[in-house]
Amino acid sequence: MAKKNKLTLASVRKAAGVGVLVERTISFVGNDGEKFEGEILVKRLSHQERLEAIDAWGLEDKSKATVDQYSKAMLFAAVYSSEDEKFFSVIEDTGLVNSEIIASMSEAVEDVNDFMGKKWILNQKNSGASSSSTESAEEPSKKQKPE
């Protein structure tokens, strides 16, 4: 069971790792057809950084942002080459790599930031917090077969 602490904004940010750069290996097929691997740093984004990432495109109406623009905005905000250098110097540079690299980077960004909540959901299931409700929902029906 997790230790209970008196929480403050600073302690929550630190515990969640907000702002921390996490090293991740990405891979893709290189020009010569061989698998190419390399390291990138992925920033653990705050909620506000996620919301504001789309601002990098300078759109007049953010509601008209495409899925592609949003996903590239996440890469622009989260992927670093070094502690003080973003991988993409301007957001338009996100389009200079192929789709396989974008997908590999996006997977690394998702792994660190858990935008979809998959890790949280898995943790809830593994902790047994909701096991009684899921167990009953998963039990097969015990109807009698007609004779």
Side-chain angles (χ1 to χ4, degrees), residues 16 22-26 40 42-45 50 75 78 103-120 122:
V22 180
E23 188 174 90
R24 286 291 183 261
T25 301
I26 63 165
I40 59 171
V42 178
K43 183 178 182 183
R44 184 126 166 100
L45 300 173
R50 290 180 193 185
L75 295 182
S104 189
M105 286 182 166
S106 294
E107 188 176 313
V109 170
E110 172 61 32
D111 182 55
V112 170
N113 285 284
D114 196 26
F115 297 132
M116 305 299 271
K118 292 176 186 176
K119 288 180 185 177
W120 183 84
L122 191 61

Side-chain angles (χ1 to χ4, degrees), residues 131-144:
S131 64
S132 61
S133 62
T134 57
E135 285 173 6
S136 62
E138 293 174 1
E139 284 181 18
S141 173
K142 294 185 179 179
K143 289 184 179 178
Q144 289 183 330

Side-chain angles (χ1 to χ4, degrees), residues 11-132:
S11 68
V12 168
R13 286 179 51 88
K14 183 177 180 181
V18 173
V20 171
L21 294 174
V22 180
E23 188 174 90
R24 286 291 183 261
T25 301
I26 63 165
S27 61
F28 53 92
V29 176
N31 187 39
D32 58 2
E34 297 290 322
K35 182 178 179 180
F36 186 87
E37 287 188 345
E39 305 301 320
I40 59 171
L41 297 174
V42 178
K43 183 178 182 183
R44 184 126 166 100
L45 300 173
S46 70
H47 181 73
Q48 195 62 35
E49 288 171 313
R50 290 180 193 185
L51 292 176
E52 293 173 354
I54 196 67
D55 293 346
W57 284 108
L59 303 172
E60 286 185 34
D61 184 356
K62 292 183 221 177
S63 69
K64 294 189 180 196
T66 66
V67 171
D68 184 63
Q69 286 173 316
Y70 183 75
S71 64
K72 287 179 180 174
M74 290 298 111
L75 295 182
F76 179 69
V79 180
Y80 284 71
S81 296
S82 66
E83 220 171 284
D84 57 350
E85 181 184 2
K86 283 188 166 193
F87 190 91
F88 301 103
S89 57
V90 294
I91 194 157
E92 291 81 7
D93 287 351
T94 58
L96 298 178
V97 295
N98 66 20
S99 297
E100 184 183 7
I101 295 169
I102 289 172
S104 189
M105 286 182 166
S106 294
E107 188 176 313
V109 170
E110 172 61 32
D111 182 55
V112 170
N113 285 284
D114 196 26
F115 297 132
M116 305 299 271
K118 292 176 186 176
K119 288 180 185 177
W120 183 84
I121 291 167
L122 191 61
N123 189 36
Q124 294 301 306
K125 286 183 177 183
N126 289 341
S127 72
S130 61
S131 64
S132 61

